[in-house]
Amino acid sequence: ILEELKKLEKLKVVSDIAASISHEVRTPLTVIRGFLQLLNEKNVPEEKKHFYIKHSIEELDRAQDIISDYLTFAKPSLENVELLEINEELEYIVNVVTPYATLHNSIISFQTTDELTVVGERQKLHQCLMNIIKNGIESMQNGGELSIRVRKVNENAEIKIKDKGVGMTTEQINRLGTPYYTTKDKGTGLGTMVVFSIIKIMQGTIKVESEIGKGTTFTVTFPSIIQENQY
Ligand code: ADP
Ligand code: MG
Protein backbone atom coordinates (compact mmCIF):
# COMPACT_ATOMS: atom_id res chain seq x y z
CA ILE A 1 0.00 0.00 0.00
CA LEU A 2 2.83 2.35 0.82
CA GLU A 3 4.28 1.77 -2.66
CA GLU A 4 0.87 2.53 -4.22
CA LEU A 5 0.58 5.74 -2.21
CA LYS A 6 4.07 6.80 -3.27
CA LYS A 7 3.15 6.19 -6.92
CA LEU A 8 -0.03 8.26 -6.56
CA GLU A 9 1.91 11.06 -4.91
CA LYS A 10 4.45 11.02 -7.72
CA LEU A 11 1.62 11.14 -10.30
CA LYS A 12 0.16 14.16 -8.55
CA VAL A 13 3.52 15.97 -8.61
CA VAL A 14 4.07 14.97 -12.25
CA SER A 15 0.70 16.43 -13.26
CA ASP A 16 1.11 19.57 -11.11
CA ILE A 17 4.46 20.18 -12.68
CA ALA A 18 3.02 19.57 -16.16
CA ALA A 19 0.69 22.49 -15.53
CA SER A 20 3.45 24.84 -14.49
CA ILE A 21 5.67 23.62 -17.34
CA SER A 22 3.03 24.49 -19.94
CA HIS A 23 3.09 27.96 -18.48
CA GLU A 24 6.91 28.10 -18.49
CA VAL A 25 7.05 27.06 -22.14
CA ARG A 26 4.40 29.55 -23.21
CA THR A 27 6.53 32.45 -22.05
CA PRO A 28 9.45 31.87 -24.47
CA LEU A 29 6.96 31.11 -27.24
CA THR A 30 5.23 34.45 -26.68
CA VAL A 31 8.58 36.24 -26.72
CA ILE A 32 9.61 34.52 -29.98
CA ARG A 33 6.27 35.35 -31.57
CA GLY A 34 6.83 39.01 -30.74
CA PHE A 35 10.32 39.00 -32.26
CA LEU A 36 9.05 37.34 -35.46
CA GLN A 37 6.39 40.00 -35.77
CA LEU A 38 9.01 42.73 -35.36
CA LEU A 39 11.27 41.04 -37.94
CA ASN A 40 8.38 41.02 -40.37
CA GLU A 41 8.10 44.80 -40.36
CA LYS A 42 9.50 46.91 -43.20
CA ASN A 43 13.03 48.33 -43.04
CA VAL A 44 14.21 46.64 -39.89
CA PRO A 45 17.81 47.79 -39.24
CA GLU A 46 20.47 45.07 -39.49
CA GLU A 47 21.50 45.24 -35.81
CA LYS A 48 17.87 44.97 -34.68
CA LYS A 49 17.42 41.89 -36.85
CA HIS A 50 20.49 40.37 -35.26
CA PHE A 51 19.15 41.13 -31.78
CA TYR A 52 15.71 39.63 -32.45
CA ILE A 53 17.17 36.48 -33.95
CA LYS A 54 19.76 36.00 -31.23
CA HIS A 55 17.14 36.32 -28.50
CA SER A 56 14.69 34.08 -30.35
CA ILE A 57 17.31 31.32 -30.47
CA GLU A 58 17.99 31.77 -26.74
CA GLU A 59 14.30 31.50 -25.95
CA LEU A 60 13.92 28.41 -28.16
CA ASP A 61 16.82 26.74 -26.34
CA ARG A 62 15.18 27.57 -23.05
CA ALA A 63 11.86 26.07 -24.10
CA GLN A 64 13.68 22.95 -25.29
CA ASP A 65 15.57 22.58 -21.97
CA ILE A 66 12.36 22.94 -19.99
CA ILE A 67 10.65 20.25 -22.05
CA SER A 68 13.52 17.76 -21.82
CA ASP A 69 13.91 18.34 -18.07
CA TYR A 70 10.21 17.72 -17.62
CA LEU A 71 10.26 14.53 -19.70
CA THR A 72 13.21 13.16 -17.72
CA PHE A 73 11.50 14.05 -14.47
CA ALA A 74 8.26 12.35 -15.52
CA LYS A 75 10.03 9.20 -16.71
CA PRO A 76 13.44 8.88 -15.09
CA SER A 77 14.55 5.56 -16.57
CA LEU A 78 17.65 4.73 -18.58
CA GLU A 79 16.79 3.80 -22.13
CA ASN A 80 19.73 3.38 -24.48
CA VAL A 81 22.35 2.19 -22.07
CA GLU A 82 25.90 2.34 -23.40
CA LEU A 83 29.49 2.44 -22.21
CA LEU A 84 30.46 6.09 -21.97
CA GLU A 85 33.96 7.55 -21.90
CA ILE A 86 33.67 10.30 -19.31
CA ASN A 87 36.38 12.50 -20.85
CA GLU A 88 34.89 12.32 -24.34
CA GLU A 89 31.44 13.13 -23.04
CA LEU A 90 32.75 16.07 -21.02
CA GLU A 91 34.65 17.46 -23.99
CA TYR A 92 31.41 17.35 -25.97
CA ILE A 93 29.45 19.00 -23.13
CA VAL A 94 32.07 21.74 -22.70
CA ASN A 95 31.85 22.50 -26.44
CA VAL A 96 28.08 22.75 -26.27
CA VAL A 97 27.94 25.06 -23.23
CA THR A 98 30.89 27.29 -24.11
CA PRO A 99 28.73 29.79 -26.07
CA TYR A 100 26.43 29.97 -23.02
CA ALA A 101 29.44 30.65 -20.78
CA THR A 102 30.72 33.32 -23.17
CA LEU A 103 27.33 35.00 -23.11
CA HIS A 104 27.69 35.21 -19.30
CA ASN A 105 31.30 36.49 -19.49
CA SER A 106 32.53 33.21 -18.11
CA ILE A 107 35.12 30.68 -19.16
CA ILE A 108 35.15 26.95 -18.61
CA SER A 109 38.33 25.12 -17.71
CA PHE A 110 38.34 21.34 -18.05
CA GLN A 111 41.08 19.06 -16.76
CA THR A 112 41.26 15.33 -16.40
CA THR A 113 43.81 12.93 -14.99
CA ASP A 114 42.24 9.55 -15.71
CA GLU A 115 40.46 7.64 -18.45
CA LEU A 116 37.15 6.41 -17.08
CA THR A 117 34.25 4.44 -18.50
CA VAL A 118 30.77 4.49 -16.99
CA VAL A 119 27.48 2.83 -17.88
CA GLY A 120 24.49 5.01 -18.73
CA GLU A 121 22.41 6.82 -21.29
CA ARG A 122 24.45 9.43 -23.12
CA GLN A 123 21.68 12.00 -23.43
CA LYS A 124 20.81 11.76 -19.70
CA LEU A 125 24.44 12.08 -18.61
CA HIS A 126 24.71 15.20 -20.77
CA GLN A 127 21.51 16.64 -19.35
CA CYS A 128 22.63 15.99 -15.77
CA LEU A 129 26.09 17.55 -16.07
CA MET A 130 24.83 20.35 -18.31
CA ASN A 131 22.23 21.39 -15.70
CA ILE A 132 24.91 21.60 -12.99
CA ILE A 133 27.28 23.50 -15.28
CA LYS A 134 24.57 25.97 -16.38
CA ASN A 135 23.63 26.68 -12.77
CA GLY A 136 27.31 27.31 -12.03
CA ILE A 137 27.56 29.77 -14.92
CA GLU A 138 24.32 31.50 -13.91
CA SER A 139 25.56 31.83 -10.30
CA MET A 140 28.48 34.06 -11.38
CA GLN A 141 26.61 37.28 -11.97
CA ASN A 142 29.71 39.12 -13.15
CA GLY A 143 31.23 36.18 -14.95
CA GLY A 144 34.23 34.16 -13.89
CA GLU A 145 35.77 30.75 -14.18
CA LEU A 146 33.88 27.49 -13.96
CA SER A 147 36.22 24.58 -13.44
CA ILE A 148 35.56 20.95 -14.24
CA ARG A 149 37.90 18.25 -12.94
CA VAL A 150 37.75 14.54 -13.62
CA ARG A 151 39.69 11.87 -11.73
CA LYS A 152 39.46 8.29 -10.55
CA VAL A 153 38.60 7.83 -6.86
CA ASN A 154 38.49 4.21 -5.71
CA GLU A 155 36.55 2.51 -8.50
CA ASN A 156 34.53 5.61 -9.31
CA ALA A 157 34.63 8.40 -11.83
CA GLU A 158 34.61 11.66 -9.90
CA ILE A 159 33.52 14.89 -11.60
CA LYS A 160 33.97 18.14 -9.68
CA ILE A 161 32.17 21.22 -11.00
CA LYS A 162 33.23 24.37 -9.22
CA ASP A 163 31.99 27.93 -9.64
CA LYS A 164 32.96 31.23 -8.03
CA GLY A 165 29.38 32.41 -7.84
CA VAL A 166 26.93 33.66 -5.23
CA GLY A 167 26.98 30.44 -3.18
CA MET A 168 24.20 28.92 -1.06
CA THR A 169 23.32 28.63 2.62
CA THR A 170 22.81 25.18 4.17
CA GLU A 171 19.03 25.75 3.97
CA GLN A 172 19.31 26.54 0.27
CA ILE A 173 21.46 23.46 -0.35
CA ASN A 174 18.83 21.34 1.39
CA ARG A 175 16.10 22.68 -0.88
CA LEU A 176 17.93 21.67 -4.05
CA GLY A 177 15.96 19.10 -6.02
CA THR A 178 12.62 19.85 -4.40
CA PRO A 179 9.73 20.86 -6.70
CA TYR A 180 9.48 24.56 -7.63
CA TYR A 181 12.63 25.60 -5.77
CA THR A 182 14.17 28.42 -7.77
CA THR A 183 15.60 31.83 -6.93
CA LYS A 184 15.69 33.00 -10.57
CA ASP A 185 13.23 35.18 -12.48
CA LYS A 186 13.19 32.75 -15.38
CA GLY A 187 13.87 29.65 -13.29
CA THR A 188 11.85 26.44 -13.07
CA GLY A 189 13.57 24.50 -10.28
CA LEU A 190 13.41 21.46 -12.56
CA GLY A 191 17.14 21.42 -13.28
CA THR A 192 18.35 20.00 -9.97
CA MET A 193 15.35 17.64 -9.67
CA VAL A 194 16.51 16.10 -12.92
CA VAL A 195 20.16 16.08 -11.77
CA PHE A 196 19.24 14.12 -8.63
CA SER A 197 17.02 11.64 -10.46
CA ILE A 198 19.62 10.91 -13.16
CA ILE A 199 22.37 10.40 -10.59
CA LYS A 200 20.10 8.04 -8.70
CA ILE A 201 19.29 5.85 -11.71
CA MET A 202 22.96 5.78 -12.70
CA GLN A 203 23.81 4.66 -9.15
CA GLY A 204 25.97 7.68 -8.59
CA THR A 205 26.41 10.07 -5.68
CA ILE A 206 26.30 13.85 -5.37
CA LYS A 207 27.78 16.18 -2.78
CA VAL A 208 27.32 19.94 -2.60
CA GLU A 209 29.68 22.31 -0.78
CA SER A 210 29.02 26.01 -0.85
CA GLU A 211 29.93 29.27 0.77
CA ILE A 212 27.94 32.47 0.36
CA GLY A 213 29.80 34.95 -1.82
CA LYS A 214 32.59 32.48 -2.57
CA GLY A 215 31.06 29.78 -4.74
CA THR A 216 29.84 26.24 -4.95
CA THR A 217 31.34 22.86 -5.73
CA PHE A 218 29.25 19.93 -6.94
CA THR A 219 31.03 16.58 -6.65
CA VAL A 220 29.39 13.84 -8.65
CA THR A 221 30.58 10.24 -8.81
CA PHE A 222 29.52 7.33 -10.98
CA PRO A 223 30.64 3.73 -10.66
CA SER A 224 33.22 3.10 -13.35
CA ILE A 225 33.90 0.00 -15.37
CA ILE A 226 37.30 -1.60 -14.95
CA GLN A 227 38.83 -2.10 -18.36
CA GLU A 228 40.64 -5.39 -18.56
CA ASN A 229 42.79 -4.44 -21.53
CA GLN A 230 44.48 -1.85 -19.31
CA TYR A 231 46.75 -4.57 -17.91
P1 ADP B 1 16.67 26.96 -11.92
O1 ADP B 1 18.08 26.99 -12.43
O2 ADP B 1 15.65 26.98 -13.01
O3 ADP B 1 16.41 28.00 -10.87
P2 ADP B 1 17.51 24.53 -10.67
O4 ADP B 1 16.77 23.36 -10.13
O5 ADP B 1 18.53 24.26 -11.70
O6 ADP B 1 16.43 25.55 -11.18
O7 ADP B 1 18.20 25.27 -9.44
C1 ADP B 1 17.41 25.62 -8.33
C2 ADP B 1 18.05 26.72 -7.50
O8 ADP B 1 19.23 26.22 -6.85
C3 ADP B 1 18.55 27.90 -8.31
O9 ADP B 1 17.50 28.82 -8.57
C4 ADP B 1 19.62 28.49 -7.37
O10 ADP B 1 19.03 29.29 -6.37
C5 ADP B 1 20.18 27.26 -6.68
N1 ADP B 1 21.46 26.83 -7.27
C6 ADP B 1 21.68 25.74 -8.04
N2 ADP B 1 22.97 25.64 -8.41
C7 ADP B 1 23.61 26.71 -7.87
C8 ADP B 1 24.97 27.20 -7.88
N3 ADP B 1 25.93 26.57 -8.56
N4 ADP B 1 25.23 28.32 -7.18
C9 ADP B 1 24.27 28.97 -6.50
N5 ADP B 1 22.98 28.58 -6.45
C10 ADP B 1 22.64 27.47 -7.12
MG1 MG C 1 19.05 25.44 -13.47
Side-chain angles (χ1 to χ4, degrees), residues 7-24 66 70 73-74 179-180 188 190 193:
K7 266 188 213 155
L8 277 176
E9 222 167 83
K10 167 89 199 267
L11 270 182
K12 172 91 170 66
V13 178
V14 167
S15 76
D16 280 356
I17 291 183
S20 81
I21 287 316
S22 322
H23 170 77
E24 293 299 332
I66 295 171
Y70 174 70
F73 168 71
Y180 311 113
T188 61
L190 267 177
M193 286 176 76

Side-chain angles (χ1 to χ4, degrees), residues 158-173:
E158 183 195 81
I159 305 156
K160 267 192 192 288
I161 299 169
K162 182 176 181 180
D163 66 61
K164 294 178 180 156
V166 289
M168 285 177 277
T169 63
T170 310
E171 290 71 36
Q172 288 173 320
I173 294 176

Side-chain angles (χ1 to χ4, degrees), residues 135-136 138-139 163 166-168 176 181-184 186-193 216 218:
N135 280 338
E138 288 161 7
S139 78
D163 66 61
V166 289
M168 285 177 277
L176 290 174
Y181 177 60
T182 180
T183 55
K184 298 168 194 167
K186 290 185 173 183
T188 61
L190 267 177
T192 50
M193 286 176 76
T216 304
F218 281 81

Side-chain angles (χ1 to χ4, degrees), residues 6-215:
K6 264 193 195 157
K7 266 188 213 155
L8 277 176
E9 222 167 83
K10 167 89 199 267
L11 270 182
K12 172 91 170 66
V13 178
V14 167
S15 76
D16 280 356
I17 291 183
S20 81
I21 287 316
S22 322
H23 170 77
E24 293 299 332
V25 173
R26 263 197 208 115
T27 315
L29 292 182
T30 310
V31 174
I32 297 161
R33 189 179 193 284
F35 284 146
L36 288 177
Q37 234 161 9
L38 289 167
L39 274 171
N40 198 32
E41 280 171 10
K42 284 203 192 79
N43 308 323
V44 184
E46 224 24 66
E47 77 267 16
K48 283 240 160 126
K49 267 191 204 165
H50 182 73
F51 177 91
Y52 297 148
I53 292 171
K54 183 170 161 245
H55 286 278
S56 294
I57 293 173
E58 271 171 42
E59 293 293 325
L60 279 173
D61 287 345
R62 204 159 78 78
Q64 179 140 26
D65 283 351
I66 295 171
I67 292 168
S68 43
D69 281 346
Y70 174 70
L71 289 177
T72 299
F73 168 71
K75 193 169 174 290
S77 60
L78 292 180
E79 250 127 67
N80 308 302
V81 174
E82 292 179 76
L83 291 182
L84 305 169
E85 299 295 332
I86 283 290
N87 293 336
E88 265 176 40
E89 299 311 324
L90 271 164
E91 258 154 42
Y92 174 85
I93 292 167
V94 169
N95 273 328
V96 173
V97 308
T98 293
Y100 192 71
T102 309
L103 196 74
H104 287 82
N105 299 316
S106 299
I107 54 161
I108 301 179
S109 92
F110 169 44
Q111 276 172 26
T112 173
T113 50
D114 298 285
E115 299 276 339
L116 293 148
T117 309
V118 303
V119 182
E121 185 182 330
R122 174 168 287 118
Q123 190 268 335
K124 295 248 163 68
L125 178 73
H126 289 183
Q127 191 179 11
C128 171
L129 297 174
M130 214 105 92
N131 282 348
I132 299 176
I133 295 169
K134 281 196 168 172
N135 280 338
I137 294 169
E138 288 161 7
S139 78
M140 301 188 283
Q141 282 143 347
N142 302 312
E145 183 186 295
L146 182 106
S147 96
I148 305 172
R149 299 282 178 272
V150 169
R151 61 173 183 161
K152 181 166 177 274
V153 175
N154 302 323
E155 295 313 325
N156 298 319
E158 183 195 81
I159 305 156
K160 267 192 192 288
I161 299 169
K162 182 176 181 180
D163 66 61
K164 294 178 180 156
V166 289
M168 285 177 277
T169 63
T170 310
E171 290 71 36
Q172 288 173 320
I173 294 176
N174 290 335
R175 290 191 65 186
L176 290 174
T178 61
Y180 311 113
Y181 177 60
T182 180
T183 55
K184 298 168 194 167
D185 290 344
K186 290 185 173 183
T188 61
L190 267 177
T192 50
M193 286 176 76
V194 164
V195 166
F196 282 53
S197 74
I198 294 174
I199 289 172
K200 190 171 167 206
I201 49 173
M202 284 184 64
Q203 283 148 34
T205 64
I206 180 166
K207 186 174 82 184
V208 187
E209 294 156 293
S210 191
E211 205 178 322
I212 291 290
K214 287 258 168 79

